[in-house]
Amino acid sequence: MGNKEKAKERRENRLQQIRLLRTIPYSDHQRWWSKETVAVVTGGNRGIGFEICRQLAAHGLTVILTSRDATAGVESIKVLKEDGLDLIYHQLDIEDSSSINQFVKWLQENYGGLDILVNNAGVNFNLGSDNSVENAHKVVKTNYYGTKSMIEAMIPLLKPSTVGAHIVNVSSRLGRLNGRRNRISNVALWEKLSDVESLSEELIDNTLCTFLQQVEDGSWTSGGWPQNYTDYSLSKLAVNAFTRLMARKLSERPVGQKVCINCYCPGWVKTALTGYAGNNSVEEGADSGVWLSLLSDESTTGKFFAERREINF
């Protein structure tokens, strides 16, 4: 059996374990949440976001499904309600600061804040073996800066909790610094981004700014950037880096006001984002996001997961 076959077998075995775990209900001592626990999910009208909303609602939380397209969001709520699930909808464009501000005001007035934030909204314009950076600005603006804006806007609204409030960022293995493939070949930049103690917003922003400038002048192919899904990979690398940075900053909060922030890779999922060419179902892709949202261990923060297992950045 070759390495690819072995890897495929390991992945399938792990997915079978997770399918079994999902059939086991949470025990009373694990269920720290209730109907008063508020979870906000961005990009919840389809794909992984929709499934995360469905699973969290099935666990008995108050789930606020958000989407940029209000019509699509309302239709998604109707589908879930037909399945006997009760969710709330609110329009939210994570690229638009005024939309975020309106959402913040509405959330505070109606729910007093939130307990869980799942940053799922994202875009990708490359399918198959394509690697165009024509939409690089849009990809970076949505996937990184939109996610960053949501985190910054929601942190003041996170409710105190004995298990810590939760932020879950949907990311990708394509954005790993230490992946065997698709990694940054600029050694100096790689070392800077790898050092969590010296990691800063300025470094992350400058990295993206340099990449986008090179996209504009056509020199990006020799810039040492990831060679596959380059713009998407860079946007998720930035999400991963920001997750580590915020975990470091938020760790200074006192007991009762802790915030657990983690990211995870859902795998290659059969959704519109992948042109429905993925290997995993949406249920499998959503699983680790839901699992992280419901963890009761506040010490689990600043980490990267896939299939309920920690992987390196």
Side-chain angles (χ1 to χ4, degrees):
M1 185 182 293
N3 290 334
K4 285 186 177 180
E5 288 75 15
K6 289 180 180 178
K8 184 178 180 180
E9 184 179 37
R10 286 195 299 269
R11 184 181 67 83
E12 182 55 35
N13 288 338
R14 182 58 186 163
L15 289 177
Q16 287 181 2
Q17 292 174 18
I18 291 172
R19 292 180 195 121
L20 175 61
L21 289 171
R22 286 178 55 208
T23 66
I24 303 172
Y26 283 86
S27 62
D28 289 341
H29 79 273
Q30 291 175 309
R31 292 176 62 90
W32 57 268
W33 63 90
S34 68
K35 189 61 179 177
E36 284 66 49
T37 304
V38 177
V40 172
V41 182
T42 67
N45 61 292
R46 66 179 186 178
I48 295 170
F50 178 85
E51 181 61 21
I52 289 174
C53 287
R54 189 189 70 78
Q55 292 188 27
L56 287 175
H59 281 297
L61 288 78
T62 293
V63 179
I64 301 172
L65 184 157
T66 72
S67 67
R68 181 168 52 88
D69 185 331
T71 301
V74 170
E75 287 302 313
S76 297
I77 290 288
K78 288 181 180 178
V79 171
L80 291 167
K81 287 190 175 182
E82 288 174 359
D83 289 339
L85 298 172
D86 186 21
L87 292 89
I88 299 97
Y89 176 74
H90 197 283
Q91 192 276 338
L92 174 63
D93 183 351
I94 66 170
E95 293 182 41
D96 184 349
S97 59
S98 63
S99 178
I100 293 176
N101 290 338
Q102 289 172 14
F103 180 71
V104 166
K105 183 179 179 180
W106 173 85
L107 182 63
Q108 194 163 27
E109 289 178 351
N110 289 274
Y111 295 95
L114 74 163
D115 302 273
I116 300 167
L117 169 65
V118 181
N119 286 305
N120 166 75
V123 294
N124 170 39
F125 295 93
N126 287 308
L127 299 176
S129 59
D130 298 342
N131 193 32
S132 168
V133 295
E134 179 182 354
N135 297 292
H137 282 275
K138 173 71 172 177
V139 171
V140 169
K141 183 179 181 182
T142 303
N143 295 358
Y144 173 62
Y145 287 106
T147 296
K148 177 182 175 183
S149 295
M150 278 300 296
I151 292 171
E152 292 173 340
M154 293 295 107
I155 283 177
L157 298 185
L158 289 169
K159 298 177 182 178
S161 170
T162 56
V163 299
H166 293 61
I167 299 175
V168 179
N169 298 323
V170 180
S171 188
S172 172
R173 288 182 177 93
L174 289 170
R176 291 173 65 193
L177 283 167
N178 293 313
R180 292 182 180 179
R181 298 175 296 174
N182 211 46
R183 58 189 292 174
I184 288 178
S185 60
N186 181 329
V187 177
L189 178 59
W190 182 91
E191 289 178 345
K192 289 179 181 178
L193 290 168
S194 298
D195 186 357
V196 68
E197 295 305 319
S198 62
L199 196 58
S200 65
E201 288 185 46
E202 183 180 16
L203 173 60
I204 300 170
D205 291 346
N206 286 345
T207 297
L208 293 174
C209 183
T210 298
F211 167 65
L212 292 174
Q213 287 176 347
Q214 291 183 3
V215 167
E216 291 178 2
D217 65 29
S219 65
W220 68 273
T221 54
S222 58
W225 308 111
Q227 296 303 298
N228 296 309
Y229 305 99
T230 302
D231 54 356
Y232 182 80
S233 297
L234 258 294
S235 71
K236 293 302 187 180
L237 185 153
V239 168
N240 293 349
F242 192 68
T243 300
R244 299 169 78 198
L245 173 62
M246 290 307 298
R248 190 186 75 206
K249 290 183 176 180
L250 294 169
S251 67
E252 300 171 358
R253 288 193 160 202
V255 175
Q257 297 181 33
K258 295 288 186 182
V259 177
C260 307
I261 179 168
N262 297 286
C263 54
Y264 89 99
C265 175
W268 196 240
V269 183
K270 297 174 184 176
T271 64
L273 197 71
T274 65
Y276 299 96
N279 298 317
N280 296 354
S281 67
V282 288
E283 291 83 4
E284 291 165 340
D287 177 77
S288 290
V290 174
W291 173 72
L292 282 169
S293 297
L294 301 180
L295 273 183
S296 58
D297 179 11
E298 68 175 24
S299 66
T300 302
T301 188
K303 300 183 183 300
F304 191 12
F305 292 87
E307 293 143 12
R308 298 198 186 192
R309 288 183 174 175
E310 184 181 352
I311 60 177
N312 63 43
F313 280 91

mmCIF file of all heavy atoms in Angstrom, residues 51-88:
data_model
loop_
_atom_site.group_PDB
_atom_site.id
_atom_site.type_symbol
_atom_site.label_atom_id
_atom_site.label_comp_id
_atom_site.label_asym_id
_atom_site.label_seq_id
_atom_site.Cartn_x
_atom_site.Cartn_y
_atom_site.Cartn_z
ATOM 1 N N GLU A 51 -24.798 23.913 8.085
ATOM 2 C CA GLU A 51 -24.772 22.681 8.876
ATOM 3 C C GLU A 51 -24.338 22.947 10.311
ATOM 4 O O GLU A 51 -24.847 22.317 11.247
ATOM 5 C CB GLU A 51 -23.842 21.664 8.221
ATOM 6 C CG GLU A 51 -23.743 20.330 8.944
ATOM 7 C CD GLU A 51 -25.060 19.592 9.055
ATOM 8 O OE1 GLU A 51 -25.987 19.868 8.259
ATOM 9 O OE2 GLU A 51 -25.176 18.724 9.951
ATOM 10 N N ILE A 52 -23.409 23.885 10.517
ATOM 11 C CA ILE A 52 -23.028 24.258 11.881
ATOM 12 C C ILE A 52 -24.236 24.830 12.624
ATOM 13 O O ILE A 52 -24.496 24.486 13.782
ATOM 14 C CB ILE A 52 -21.859 25.267 11.870
ATOM 15 C CG1 ILE A 52 -20.563 24.577 11.433
ATOM 16 C CG2 ILE A 52 -21.675 25.904 13.260
ATOM 17 C CD1 ILE A 52 -19.385 25.515 11.257
ATOM 18 N N CYS A 53 -24.998 25.685 11.942
ATOM 19 C CA CYS A 53 -26.213 26.237 12.535
ATOM 20 C C CYS A 53 -27.179 25.123 12.903
ATOM 21 O O CYS A 53 -27.768 25.116 13.999
ATOM 22 C CB CYS A 53 -26.892 27.198 11.558
ATOM 23 S SG CYS A 53 -26.053 28.774 11.332
ATOM 24 N N ARG A 54 -27.361 24.191 11.997
ATOM 25 C CA ARG A 54 -28.300 23.094 12.223
ATOM 26 C C ARG A 54 -27.898 22.264 13.440
ATOM 27 O O ARG A 54 -28.722 21.963 14.304
ATOM 28 C CB ARG A 54 -28.379 22.199 10.986
ATOM 29 C CG ARG A 54 -29.493 21.165 11.046
ATOM 30 C CD ARG A 54 -29.411 20.171 9.910
ATOM 31 N NE ARG A 54 -28.264 19.285 10.070
ATOM 32 C CZ ARG A 54 -28.217 18.258 10.902
ATOM 33 N NH1 ARG A 54 -29.262 17.993 11.690
ATOM 34 N NH2 ARG A 54 -27.149 17.500 10.985
ATOM 35 N N GLN A 55 -26.607 21.908 13.512
ATOM 36 C CA GLN A 55 -26.154 21.064 14.613
ATOM 37 C C GLN A 55 -26.203 21.786 15.945
ATOM 38 O O GLN A 55 -26.599 21.207 16.970
ATOM 39 C CB GLN A 55 -24.743 20.544 14.327
ATOM 40 C CG GLN A 55 -24.673 19.548 13.171
ATOM 41 C CD GLN A 55 -23.311 18.900 13.033
ATOM 42 O OE1 GLN A 55 -22.561 18.767 14.008
ATOM 43 N NE2 GLN A 55 -22.968 18.482 11.821
ATOM 44 N N LEU A 56 -25.809 23.052 15.981
ATOM 45 C CA LEU A 56 -25.859 23.807 17.237
ATOM 46 C C LEU A 56 -27.301 23.976 17.714
ATOM 47 O O LEU A 56 -27.591 23.861 18.913
ATOM 48 C CB LEU A 56 -25.192 25.167 17.065
ATOM 49 C CG LEU A 56 -23.664 25.172 16.954
ATOM 50 C CD1 LEU A 56 -23.156 26.584 16.673
ATOM 51 C CD2 LEU A 56 -23.015 24.621 18.220
ATOM 52 N N ALA A 57 -28.208 24.238 16.790
ATOM 53 C CA ALA A 57 -29.621 24.378 17.157
ATOM 54 C C ALA A 57 -30.166 23.051 17.692
ATOM 55 O O ALA A 57 -30.952 23.027 18.649
ATOM 56 C CB ALA A 57 -30.434 24.843 15.957
ATOM 57 N N ALA A 58 -29.732 21.952 17.089
ATOM 58 C CA ALA A 58 -30.175 20.635 17.541
ATOM 59 C C ALA A 58 -29.679 20.329 18.951
ATOM 60 O O ALA A 58 -30.295 19.555 19.686
ATOM 61 C CB ALA A 58 -29.689 19.560 16.574
ATOM 62 N N HIS A 59 -28.568 20.964 19.355
ATOM 63 C CA HIS A 59 -28.038 20.790 20.707
ATOM 64 C C HIS A 59 -28.756 21.691 21.723
ATOM 65 O O HIS A 59 -28.435 21.646 22.916
ATOM 66 C CB HIS A 59 -26.543 21.084 20.734
ATOM 67 C CG HIS A 59 -25.698 19.955 20.227
ATOM 68 N ND1 HIS A 59 -25.659 18.721 20.837
ATOM 69 C CD2 HIS A 59 -24.858 19.869 19.163
ATOM 70 C CE1 HIS A 59 -24.829 17.922 20.179
ATOM 71 N NE2 HIS A 59 -24.334 18.587 19.160
ATOM 72 N N GLY A 60 -29.687 22.513 21.245
ATOM 73 C CA GLY A 60 -30.510 23.295 22.166
ATOM 74 C C GLY A 60 -30.047 24.713 22.415
ATOM 75 O O GLY A 60 -30.552 25.370 23.331
ATOM 76 N N LEU A 61 -29.109 25.228 21.635
ATOM 77 C CA LEU A 61 -28.655 26.609 21.801
ATOM 78 C C LEU A 61 -29.559 27.561 21.031
ATOM 79 O O LEU A 61 -30.286 27.158 20.125
ATOM 80 C CB LEU A 61 -27.219 26.773 21.292
ATOM 81 C CG LEU A 61 -26.076 26.158 22.099
ATOM 82 C CD1 LEU A 61 -25.973 24.660 21.873
ATOM 83 C CD2 LEU A 61 -24.755 26.828 21.733
ATOM 84 N N THR A 62 -29.494 28.826 21.377
ATOM 85 C CA THR A 62 -30.112 29.871 20.568
ATOM 86 C C THR A 62 -29.114 30.243 19.481
ATOM 87 O O THR A 62 -28.035 30.762 19.781
ATOM 88 C CB THR A 62 -30.460 31.104 21.413
ATOM 89 O OG1 THR A 62 -31.506 30.756 22.335
ATOM 90 C CG2 THR A 62 -30.927 32.260 20.539
ATOM 91 N N VAL A 63 -29.465 29.963 18.242
ATOM 92 C CA VAL A 63 -28.537 30.157 17.123
ATOM 93 C C VAL A 63 -29.010 31.299 16.241
ATOM 94 O O VAL A 63 -30.163 31.323 15.797
ATOM 95 C CB VAL A 63 -28.400 28.872 16.282
ATOM 96 C CG1 VAL A 63 -27.449 29.101 15.113
ATOM 97 C CG2 VAL A 63 -27.913 27.719 17.150
ATOM 98 N N ILE A 64 -28.099 32.241 15.989
ATOM 99 C CA ILE A 64 -28.383 33.352 15.088
ATOM 100 C C ILE A 64 -27.631 33.102 13.787
ATOM 101 O O ILE A 64 -26.405 33.173 13.739
ATOM 102 C CB ILE A 64 -27.972 34.693 15.715
ATOM 103 C CG1 ILE A 64 -28.730 34.908 17.027
ATOM 104 C CG2 ILE A 64 -28.252 35.851 14.741
ATOM 105 C CD1 ILE A 64 -28.253 36.112 17.826
ATOM 106 N N LEU A 65 -28.379 32.771 12.754
ATOM 107 C CA LEU A 65 -27.820 32.516 11.436
ATOM 108 C C LEU A 65 -27.707 33.844 10.703
ATOM 109 O O LEU A 65 -28.692 34.574 10.593
ATOM 110 C CB LEU A 65 -28.723 31.544 10.678
ATOM 111 C CG LEU A 65 -28.313 31.048 9.293
ATOM 112 C CD1 LEU A 65 -29.023 29.715 8.979
ATOM 113 C CD2 LEU A 65 -28.630 32.051 8.180
ATOM 114 N N THR A 66 -26.524 34.164 10.205
ATOM 115 C CA THR A 66 -26.341 35.411 9.472
ATOM 116 C C THR A 66 -25.825 35.106 8.068
ATOM 117 O O THR A 66 -25.186 34.086 7.827
ATOM 118 C CB THR A 66 -25.342 36.357 10.174
ATOM 119 O OG1 THR A 66 -24.006 35.842 10.031
ATOM 120 C CG2 THR A 66 -25.673 36.523 11.645
ATOM 121 N N SER A 67 -26.123 36.031 7.161
ATOM 122 C CA SER A 67 -25.634 35.907 5.794
ATOM 123 C C SER A 67 -25.655 37.270 5.132
ATOM 124 O O SER A 67 -26.401 38.161 5.544
ATOM 125 C CB SER A 67 -26.488 34.925 4.990
ATOM 126 O OG SER A 67 -27.790 35.443 4.801
ATOM 127 N N ARG A 68 -24.847 37.416 4.094
ATOM 128 C CA ARG A 68 -24.809 38.681 3.351
ATOM 129 C C ARG A 68 -26.099 38.874 2.562
ATOM 130 O O ARG A 68 -26.658 39.957 2.500
ATOM 131 C CB ARG A 68 -23.598 38.672 2.417
ATOM 132 C CG ARG A 68 -23.414 39.932 1.596
ATOM 133 C CD ARG A 68 -22.039 39.928 0.928
ATOM 134 N NE ARG A 68 -21.830 38.683 0.212
ATOM 135 C CZ ARG A 68 -22.198 38.486 -1.060
ATOM 136 N NH1 ARG A 68 -22.798 39.443 -1.729
ATOM 137 N NH2 ARG A 68 -21.955 37.331 -1.652
ATOM 138 N N ASP A 69 -26.581 37.792 1.962
ATOM 139 C CA ASP A 69 -27.801 37.820 1.151
ATOM 140 C C ASP A 69 -28.999 37.506 2.050
ATOM 141 O O ASP A 69 -29.172 36.375 2.500
ATOM 142 C CB ASP A 69 -27.691 36.779 0.036
ATOM 143 C CG ASP A 69 -28.863 36.813 -0.935
ATOM 144 O OD1 ASP A 69 -29.974 37.198 -0.520
ATOM 145 O OD2 ASP A 69 -28.671 36.454 -2.106
ATOM 146 N N ALA A 70 -29.822 38.505 2.293
ATOM 147 C CA ALA A 70 -30.954 38.335 3.214
ATOM 148 C C ALA A 70 -31.969 37.324 2.698
ATOM 149 O O ALA A 70 -32.504 36.516 3.465
ATOM 150 C CB ALA A 70 -31.640 39.681 3.456
ATOM 151 N N THR A 71 -32.226 37.331 1.398
ATOM 152 C CA THR A 71 -33.198 36.399 0.836
ATOM 153 C C THR A 71 -32.762 34.959 1.049
ATOM 154 O O THR A 71 -33.549 34.097 1.470
ATOM 155 C CB THR A 71 -33.390 36.654 -0.672
ATOM 156 O OG1 THR A 71 -33.848 37.995 -0.874
ATOM 157 C CG2 THR A 71 -34.397 35.687 -1.264
ATOM 158 N N ALA A 72 -31.486 34.681 0.785
ATOM 159 C CA ALA A 72 -30.951 33.328 0.974
ATOM 160 C C ALA A 72 -30.980 32.939 2.441
ATOM 161 O O ALA A 72 -31.270 31.783 2.784
ATOM 162 C CB ALA A 72 -29.515 33.257 0.437
ATOM 163 N N GLY A 73 -30.699 33.890 3.315
ATOM 164 C CA GLY A 73 -30.698 33.611 4.746
ATOM 165 C C GLY A 73 -32.075 33.257 5.267
ATOM 166 O O GLY A 73 -32.247 32.298 6.034
ATOM 167 N N VAL A 74 -33.080 34.004 4.839
ATOM 168 C CA VAL A 74 -34.459 33.748 5.270
ATOM 169 C C VAL A 74 -34.922 32.380 4.770
ATOM 170 O O VAL A 74 -35.600 31.633 5.492
ATOM 171 C CB VAL A 74 -35.398 34.863 4.759
ATOM 172 C CG1 VAL A 74 -36.855 34.486 4.995
ATOM 173 C CG2 VAL A 74 -35.067 36.188 5.457
ATOM 174 N N GLU A 75 -34.569 32.034 3.540
ATOM 175 C CA GLU A 75 -34.942 30.730 2.992
ATOM 176 C C GLU A 75 -34.280 29.598 3.781
ATOM 177 O O GLU A 75 -34.890 28.541 4.002
ATOM 178 C CB GLU A 75 -34.541 30.645 1.513
ATOM 179 C CG GLU A 75 -35.408 31.468 0.590
ATOM 180 C CD GLU A 75 -36.882 31.087 0.671
ATOM 181 O OE1 GLU A 75 -37.193 29.887 0.635
ATOM 182 O OE2 GLU A 75 -37.732 32.003 0.793
ATOM 183 N N SER A 76 -33.032 29.818 4.208
ATOM 184 C CA SER A 76 -32.326 28.804 5.001
ATOM 185 C C SER A 76 -33.018 28.579 6.336
ATOM 186 O O SER A 76 -33.147 27.442 6.806
ATOM 187 C CB SER A 76 -30.877 29.239 5.234
ATOM 188 O OG SER A 76 -30.180 29.331 4.015
ATOM 189 N N ILE A 77 -33.469 29.663 6.953
ATOM 190 C CA ILE A 77 -34.200 29.556 8.221
ATOM 191 C C ILE A 77 -35.475 28.744 8.035
ATOM 192 O O ILE A 77 -35.838 27.899 8.870
ATOM 193 C CB ILE A 77 -34.532 30.957 8.772
ATOM 194 C CG1 ILE A 77 -33.254 31.672 9.249
ATOM 195 C CG2 ILE A 77 -35.543 30.867 9.904
ATOM 196 C CD1 ILE A 77 -32.669 31.121 10.520
ATOM 197 N N LYS A 78 -36.174 28.974 6.915
ATOM 198 C CA LYS A 78 -37.408 28.240 6.632
ATOM 199 C C LYS A 78 -37.142 26.741 6.543
ATOM 200 O O LYS A 78 -37.905 25.927 7.068
ATOM 201 C CB LYS A 78 -38.031 28.741 5.332
ATOM 202 C CG LYS A 78 -38.654 30.121 5.425
ATOM 203 C CD LYS A 78 -39.259 30.519 4.090
ATOM 204 C CE LYS A 78 -39.888 31.908 4.153
ATOM 205 N NZ LYS A 78 -40.442 32.314 2.826
ATOM 206 N N VAL A 79 -36.050 26.383 5.875
ATOM 207 C CA VAL A 79 -35.698 24.970 5.723
ATOM 208 C C VAL A 79 -35.438 24.338 7.086
ATOM 209 O O VAL A 79 -35.909 23.231 7.384
ATOM 210 C CB VAL A 79 -34.454 24.811 4.822
ATOM 211 C CG1 VAL A 79 -33.944 23.369 4.844
ATOM 212 C CG2 VAL A 79 -34.771 25.231 3.395
ATOM 213 N N LEU A 80 -34.705 25.029 7.925
ATOM 214 C CA LEU A 80 -34.387 24.501 9.254
ATOM 215 C C LEU A 80 -35.628 24.409 10.139
ATOM 216 O O LEU A 80 -35.779 23.466 10.921
ATOM 217 C CB LEU A 80 -33.317 25.380 9.914
ATOM 218 C CG LEU A 80 -31.930 25.302 9.263
ATOM 219 C CD1 LEU A 80 -31.035 26.421 9.759
ATOM 220 C CD2 LEU A 80 -31.292 23.946 9.531
ATOM 221 N N LYS A 81 -36.509 25.366 10.018
ATOM 222 C CA LYS A 81 -37.745 25.336 10.800
ATOM 223 C C LYS A 81 -38.648 24.185 10.362
ATOM 224 O O LYS A 81 -39.363 23.602 11.179
ATOM 225 C CB LYS A 81 -38.476 26.676 10.701
ATOM 226 C CG LYS A 81 -37.788 27.780 11.502
ATOM 227 C CD LYS A 81 -38.618 29.035 11.600
ATOM 228 C CE LYS A 81 -37.940 30.053 12.517
ATOM 229 N NZ LYS A 81 -38.727 31.286 12.689
ATOM 230 N N GLU A 82 -38.601 23.841 9.084
ATOM 231 C CA GLU A 82 -39.359 22.690 8.600
ATOM 232 C C GLU A 82 -38.848 21.394 9.218
ATOM 233 O O GLU A 82 -39.586 20.413 9.327
ATOM 234 C CB GLU A 82 -39.271 22.614 7.076
ATOM 235 C CG GLU A 82 -40.079 23.690 6.356
ATOM 236 C CD GLU A 82 -39.860 23.686 4.862
ATOM 237 O OE1 GLU A 82 -39.063 22.843 4.386
ATOM 238 O OE2 GLU A 82 -40.474 24.513 4.166
ATOM 239 N N ASP A 83 -37.563 21.410 9.631
ATOM 240 C CA ASP A 83 -36.978 20.246 10.306
ATOM 241 C C ASP A 83 -37.195 20.286 11.814
ATOM 242 O O ASP A 83 -36.628 19.479 12.554
ATOM 243 C CB ASP A 83 -35.477 20.179 10.016
ATOM 244 C CG ASP A 83 -35.184 19.785 8.574
ATOM 245 O OD1 ASP A 83 -36.071 19.189 7.938
ATOM 246 O OD2 ASP A 83 -34.070 20.076 8.097
ATOM 247 N N GLY A 84 -37.986 21.257 12.268
ATOM 248 C CA GLY A 84 -38.313 21.347 13.688
ATOM 249 C C GLY A 84 -37.318 22.128 14.513
ATOM 250 O O GLY A 84 -37.356 22.065 15.756
ATOM 251 N N LEU A 85 -36.436 22.885 13.867
ATOM 252 C CA LEU A 85 -35.425 23.663 14.579
ATOM 253 C C LEU A 85 -35.799 25.136 14.582
ATOM 254 O O LEU A 85 -36.275 25.670 13.577
ATOM 255 C CB LEU A 85 -34.048 23.472 13.928
ATOM 256 C CG LEU A 85 -33.509 22.041 13.942
ATOM 257 C CD1 LEU A 85 -32.238 21.945 13.106
ATOM 258 C CD2 LEU A 85 -33.236 21.583 15.373
ATOM 259 N N ASP A 86 -35.560 25.787 15.697
ATOM 260 C CA ASP A 86 -35.941 27.188 15.857
ATOM 261 C C ASP A 86 -34.685 28.058 15.883
ATOM 262 O O ASP A 86 -33.909 28.013 16.840
ATOM 263 C CB ASP A 86 -36.739 27.360 17.157
ATOM 264 C CG ASP A 86 -37.291 28.769 17.297
ATOM 265 O OD1 ASP A 86 -37.400 29.465 16.265
ATOM 266 O OD2 ASP A 86 -37.596 29.174 18.430
ATOM 267 N N LEU A 87 -34.456 28.828 14.812
ATOM 268 C CA LEU A 87 -33.284 29.697 14.720
ATOM 269 C C LEU A 87 -33.725 31.117 14.426
ATOM 270 O O LEU A 87 -34.851 31.364 13.998
ATOM 271 C CB LEU A 87 -32.324 29.226 13.618
ATOM 272 C CG LEU A 87 -31.602 27.903 13.837
ATOM 273 C CD1 LEU A 87 -32.418 26.742 13.313
ATOM 274 C CD2 LEU A 87 -30.221 27.911 13.149
ATOM 275 N N ILE A 88 -32.809 32.054 14.646
ATOM 276 C CA ILE A 88 -33.058 33.468 14.375
ATOM 277 C C ILE A 88 -32.191 33.888 13.201
ATOM 278 O O ILE A 88 -31.053 33.423 13.052
ATOM 279 C CB ILE A 88 -32.730 34.333 15.612
ATOM 280 C CG1 ILE A 88 -33.619 33.939 16.792
ATOM 281 C CG2 ILE A 88 -32.899 35.816 15.310
ATOM 282 C CD1 ILE A 88 -32.974 32.980 17.736
#
